[in-house]
Amino acid sequence: MPVQAPTAEVRPGDAYVQSFARGLQVIRSFSAAARRQTLTEVATRTGLTRAGARRILLTLQTLGYVESDGKLFALTPRILDLGFAYLSSMPMWEVAEPVMESLVEQVKESCSAAVLEGADIMYVLRVSTRKIMRNTLGIGSRLPAYCTSMGRMLLAGLPDGEVLALLRAAPLEARTRHTLVEPGAVLAKVQQARRQGWALVNQELEEGLVSMAAPVVNRAGRIIASINISGQVNRTTPRVMQETMLAPLREAAAEISRRLGSV
């Protein structure tokens, strides 16, 4: 009887591709505050050696995701392919857009959709009005969850202990004089959003900006995304927003949830 060769032991981390992870680090090192970087700046921001950062940058350049003038490196529009691959693979955004467009037509305010990404929210869809807004967020934009209506609604889908861990992981910045920066106070707002099924944030992210969010849930009732209405407080007070727009917002979120459950 032939002797069976011993099975190779699988060690923790065997499935982890370090070079790929480092490539993502390099991509994430670019931001609104660092649109163009030198090799040294990329290495510093990622913790990589200059040689390691250079190999990754040149690989990304060969693939068309990075461009360089010989000194400075920058991401190219092709990098959007990575984000659109996610958006196109999720049926939710296809069913959500017409519902959000109808909501915007009804309430005459902008509507956005976002998902939770760590302690941030990431915008995945936005339908704007024709009004001029200071807030010019687009798909892929990130904002802190603690001081946004969609963020608090998304945090409401997590256990309290997990919410507190996220809030304590990084200092909470007072972005305006209205911003709640004490983890316990933010948690109380998250709990309120969980109980009532919606969240309203008044000028905590930006002076003059008021927004209200409702959850999008999957078949199991778990919050997987959130949609909001946002406007300027000088024309739409929190009271007016709640009295005239809360019902349409919640109906839209429920409709997206229903449509999502049928695809």
Side-chain angles (χ1 to χ4, degrees):
M1 182 177 180
V3 178
Q4 185 175 1
T7 303
E9 181 182 354
V10 179
R11 299 186 306 276
D14 278 359
Y16 185 83
V17 183
Q18 192 175 57
S19 59
F20 181 71
R22 287 173 175 169
L24 293 177
Q25 275 184 280
V26 169
I27 291 173
R28 288 196 297 267
S29 73
F30 292 91
S31 66
R35 300 179 189 275
R36 300 173 68 80
Q37 301 184 80
T38 64
L39 173 59
T40 299
E41 288 171 335
V42 172
T44 300
R45 284 192 170 91
T46 58
L48 299 173
T49 64
R50 280 174 52 87
R54 180 176 181 276
R55 286 195 299 271
I56 292 171
L57 284 167
L58 292 180
T59 299
L60 291 171
Q61 185 176 2
T62 301
L63 295 173
Y65 293 113
V66 164
E67 62 184 6
S68 175
D69 61 4
K71 179 181 178 182
L72 294 173
F73 293 88
L75 298 179
T76 70
R78 189 172 186 178
I79 203 73
L80 293 174
D81 289 347
L82 303 179
F84 287 130
Y86 162 73
L87 294 175
S88 63
S89 69
M90 294 291 289
M92 174 189 166
W93 316 127
E94 295 180 7
V95 303
E97 188 167 17
V99 178
M100 291 169 60
E101 288 174 345
S102 296
L103 177 62
V104 168
E105 180 64 26
Q106 182 178 358
V107 302
K108 309 303 181 188
E109 295 289 2
S110 297
C111 180
S112 302
V115 296
L116 192 64
E117 179 69 21
D120 294 336
I121 62 170
M122 180 177 291
Y123 280 68
V124 292
L125 192 59
R126 182 165 172 80
V127 180
S128 299
T129 63
R130 295 182 181 273
K131 298 172 183 176
I132 298 175
M133 298 282 290
R134 287 178 60 195
N135 199 327
T136 55
L137 296 166
I139 293 175
S141 296
R142 298 170 74 105
L143 288 175
Y146 72 91
C147 59
T148 56
S149 61
M150 287 192 289
R152 289 183 183 169
M153 197 69 258
L154 290 164
L155 290 174
L158 303 178
D160 285 351
E162 195 170 336
V163 174
L164 277 175
L166 287 173
L167 295 176
R168 290 170 176 164
L172 305 186
E173 174 191 358
R175 298 177 67 109
T176 75
R177 57 193 173 91
H178 305 282
T179 311
L180 296 179
V181 294
E182 203 282 314
V186 177
L187 177 61
K189 289 293 186 180
V190 170
Q191 292 170 331
Q192 179 184 13
R194 187 186 297 138
R195 289 193 303 271
Q196 64 191 18
W198 55 276
L200 189 147
V201 169
N202 181 18
Q203 303 183 80
E204 291 192 47
L205 175 68
E206 178 185 317
E207 291 284 352
L209 183 66
V210 59
S211 67
M212 186 167 55
V216 174
V217 301
N218 62 11
R219 293 179 183 178
R222 184 173 66 86
I223 297 175
I224 58 173
S226 181
I227 65 169
N228 83 340
I229 293 169
S230 60
Q232 291 296 316
V233 72
N234 60 358
R235 68 164 184 267
T236 307
T237 65
R239 180 177 178 178
V240 168
M241 181 172 279
Q242 183 177 335
E243 290 178 349
T244 64
M245 303 179 192
L246 177 58
L249 172 67
R250 299 187 73 181
E251 288 171 6
E255 177 62 21
I256 293 172
S257 300
R258 282 193 293 270
R259 293 190 183 191
L260 183 62
S262 66
V263 296

